[in-house]
Structure formats: C-alpha cells, structure tokens
Amino acid sequence: MIALTLLFALIAYGVLAWSVIRALGWLGRVCVFPSSSTRVLQGIALAVFVLLPTWDIIPGRLYFHHLCQTKAGISVFRTVYVDQAFFRTDGMPDESKLARNYVQTSSFDRNFSKRFNIAKTEGVIQDIGTGERLGASTDFFYHGGWLMAAITPGVAGTSCQIDSRVGVHTAIWKKVIRPKPANVERKS
C-alpha cells in the first residue's frame, strides 16, 4: 500500500511539474516573451522541481562523511587492566561482570543536524567509584535527504561504521578494559 501511495505521489508530482512548465510556455507566448526567455523560465522551473526533493542529499552526505572523519570514533582517556576472569571466551570484556565497577551510559540526539537529517549517538564508560570518564565513543547516522526522512521516519540510516564487527559502543569496552599483564597491578 505504501509503494502504491508513493507511486501515485510521484506521478502526481510529475504531472504537476509538466503542467507548470507547459503553463509557463503558454504564458510566454501570450505575453509575447522571446522564445529564449520562455525556455530559460521553463528550465528554471524544471530545475526547481528536480532540486526541491533532492537539494540536501549531496551536502548532507558530504557533511556526514566529514563528521565520520573528524568527530566519530573512540577516545580512551584511561585504560583499565583487569583479571582475565572479566573477559568472555571471545576476548571481549564481560560487561555484566564489570558492572560493579564500571558503567556505560549513552545518549542519542536524533536532531543533531535537522537540516541534513543526521543523528548522533554517544557512549561513555565511567568508573562508578570515582565518576572518572574512562572512554567515549561517538557515532553518527545519516537518514537521507528530507524527502527520504519524511517517507521512512525512524529508520536507522547509515552509520560511520567505526567497528563493523561489534559496533562502536561494544568496541569501546575492548579499548578501555584490557587484560592485566603479568607486571601491572589491577586498577579499580
């Protein structure tokens, strides 16, 4: 049903564009404009109809890629070394075992860039005892141009893909929490 509605809307938009361009041609003949001026006016109208639903796609993608290169990623403020018992068999820190001492909080800003439909998610690992920030992870999601965001609200979008195997918020645990080497004392 949604596809049929979108198809109908696209056909209606095309008919509207065609009608406006034809009306401008008729107006140019009635008002005795030179044919070159009429063609320029029709070209401008066509450009407006093409750019109206797509104007923000290219600058939005450029801004999204800029954010991914400059702002997204994982920042480690302090590495914590713990016993091997705090790790799962796959080598990842076991968040449930570490929950007594460390907590990860996250925030999601759907309206980080309303103009370009970019959302921001940020996670922080903190030491519960001291409140110290041990690391932070930042990721961005691009939801397409304004038309795509209006048609498919709530769709996750494209991520910066910091670590495609586990996701940015799981990867931060691996960067901050490390297995204790033989010569390092445990820090809590």
Side-chain angles (χ1 to χ4, degrees), residues 4-22:
L4 188 59
T5 304
L6 290 175
L7 180 63
F8 177 74
L10 182 63
I11 290 170
Y13 188 75
V15 168
L16 176 66
W18 179 79
S19 299
V20 167
I21 291 170
R22 294 281 298 171

Side-chain angles (χ1 to χ4, degrees), residues 108-170:
F108 182 74
D109 183 4
R110 174 69 173 98
N111 298 317
F112 175 78
S113 174
K114 279 186 170 184
R115 175 175 289 142
F116 296 121
N117 299 306
I118 297 174
K120 175 184 178 183
T121 182
E122 189 170 37
V124 175
I125 293 182
Q126 289 181 306
D127 185 318
I128 292 175
T130 65
E132 177 186 7
R133 289 173 46 131
L134 303 175
S137 62
T138 305
D139 199 3
F140 296 93
F141 297 92
Y142 176 65
H143 299 280
W146 73 269
L147 184 61
M148 182 60 87
I151 291 172
T152 58
V155 174
T158 303
S159 168
C160 290
Q161 292 290 331
I162 309 306
D163 189 338
S164 60
R165 293 171 288 131
V166 292
V168 68
H169 298 301
T170 303

Side-chain angles (χ1 to χ4, degrees), residues 9-144:
L10 182 63
I11 290 170
Y13 188 75
V15 168
L16 176 66
W18 179 79
S19 299
V20 167
I21 291 170
R22 294 281 298 171
L24 288 174
W26 173 81
L27 186 64
R29 283 190 303 278
V30 169
C31 294
V32 193
F33 289 147
S35 65
S36 61
S37 297
T38 302
R39 296 280 180 224
V40 167
L41 192 59
Q42 287 177 314
I44 290 171
L46 178 62
V48 166
F49 274 101
V50 168
L51 291 175
L52 187 64
T54 62
W55 72 269
D56 61 342
I57 293 173
I58 292 173
R61 280 248 179 227
L62 291 172
Y63 183 50
F64 170 69
H65 287 295
H66 169 74
L67 289 171
C68 287
Q69 291 173 354
T70 59
K71 306 280 187 204
I74 297 173
S75 301
V76 177
F77 308 121
R78 183 168 68 94
T79 304
V80 176
Y81 297 95
V82 296
D83 294 327
Q84 191 65 38
F86 289 97
F87 287 84
R88 299 186 313 221
T89 57
D90 64 356
M92 291 295 294
D94 190 340
E95 297 172 35
S96 61
K97 290 181 182 176
L98 292 163
R100 266 189 5 200
N101 298 321
Y102 309 104
V103 65
Q104 181 177 14
T105 57
S106 40
S107 62
F108 182 74
D109 183 4
R110 174 69 173 98
N111 298 317
F112 175 78
S113 174
K114 279 186 170 184
R115 175 175 289 142
F116 296 121
N117 299 306
I118 297 174
K120 175 184 178 183
T121 182
E122 189 170 37
V124 175
I125 293 182
Q126 289 181 306
D127 185 318
I128 292 175
T130 65
E132 177 186 7
R133 289 173 46 131
L134 303 175
S137 62
T138 305
D139 199 3
F140 296 93
F141 297 92
Y142 176 65
H143 299 280

